[in-house]
Amino acid sequence: AGAAESEPQLLNDYFELVHRALLFCPQLLLSLPAQPTDPGSLASLLEGCARCLVHQEFTHARACISCVCLLLEKATDHSHTQGVCSVLPAAALEGFGGRLTAGCLLGLLSTSPESLLDHQCELLKVLLEAFPPPLTTQWLQAAFRAEAVQGAARHAGGEAVSLFLQLLAHRPALKHDAIAREFARMCRRKGGIDGLRQFVPLH
């Protein structure tokens, strides 16, 4: 990942190219083979995305996040060819959902610069909306068992982590990015738990 991050312009150009393909010819990418062993597969693309989500350089990391958001939108849009969309999410996207979720959280809580936080919040919101709650809950819980994410969330504390996960599970999707932003502020020592508690229903 470090070696890749040393070529930010190359990464930015790559993700912009993928973004354009998704905009103007989505089936070109959505019909890629799903097998992880194929270097030209959708899994290889998602692996690259997962690695770049935690990069600190703004331009290509933002391009990566935009690419993932659009890919999720196109792949879970059932107005496309049914044969592709009925297979693709289960075959590739769900398999990488945990990696993307963990990468997004690590960037949000620790590695991303402040200028990328809104983009990471949007990505987390898109991930949570694109897949069934039991699956996304599993990904979130697994992410917080990972040493890197645990370290990034250490300052917030266990109570805040539990509240964050509860809010994501039970509050409306429109609130997810705001909830994530407040939790990121806690982890970055810029806010307290009251920022999260404002999202707890009064009844």
Side-chain angles (χ1 to χ4, degrees), residues 20-171:
R20 286 177 176 270
L22 286 167
L23 279 176
F24 299 110
C25 191
Q27 293 296 352
L28 181 67
L29 294 178
L30 298 184
S31 59
L32 287 174
Q35 292 80 4
T37 54
D38 189 332
S41 68
L42 188 65
S44 296
L45 169 60
L46 290 167
E47 174 69 25
C49 290
R51 289 175 178 269
C52 288
L53 288 178
V54 299
H55 285 183
Q56 296 179 337
E57 199 280 326
F58 174 81
T59 304
H60 79 262
R62 181 184 61 177
C64 172
I65 292 169
S66 297
C67 179
V68 175
C69 287
L70 186 59
L71 179 60
L72 291 170
E73 175 190 326
K74 295 294 185 182
T76 56
D77 180 359
H78 293 273
S79 66
H80 289 295
T81 305
Q82 186 175 357
V84 172
C85 287
S86 62
V87 173
L88 179 61
L93 290 180
E94 289 184 8
F96 272 83
R99 290 284 311 279
L100 294 172
T101 302
C104 175
L105 283 171
L106 186 57
L108 178 65
L109 307 184
S110 176
T111 63
S112 291
E114 292 283 339
S115 53
L116 269 177
L117 296 192
D118 284 347
H119 299 280
Q120 294 281 21
C121 289
E122 177 64 20
L123 173 56
L124 184 61
K125 179 173 176 284
V126 169
L127 279 163
L128 295 176
E129 290 178 339
F131 297 98
L135 200 55
T136 56
T137 297
Q138 177 183 329
W139 294 341
L140 288 166
Q141 291 173 345
F144 278 100
R145 288 194 296 269
E147 184 177 351
V149 177
Q150 283 184 354
R154 185 170 292 118
H155 178 71
E159 180 186 357
V161 170
S162 296
L163 179 57
F164 175 60
L165 294 175
Q166 290 170 16
L167 289 170
L168 290 181
H170 299 296
R171 298 303 290 148

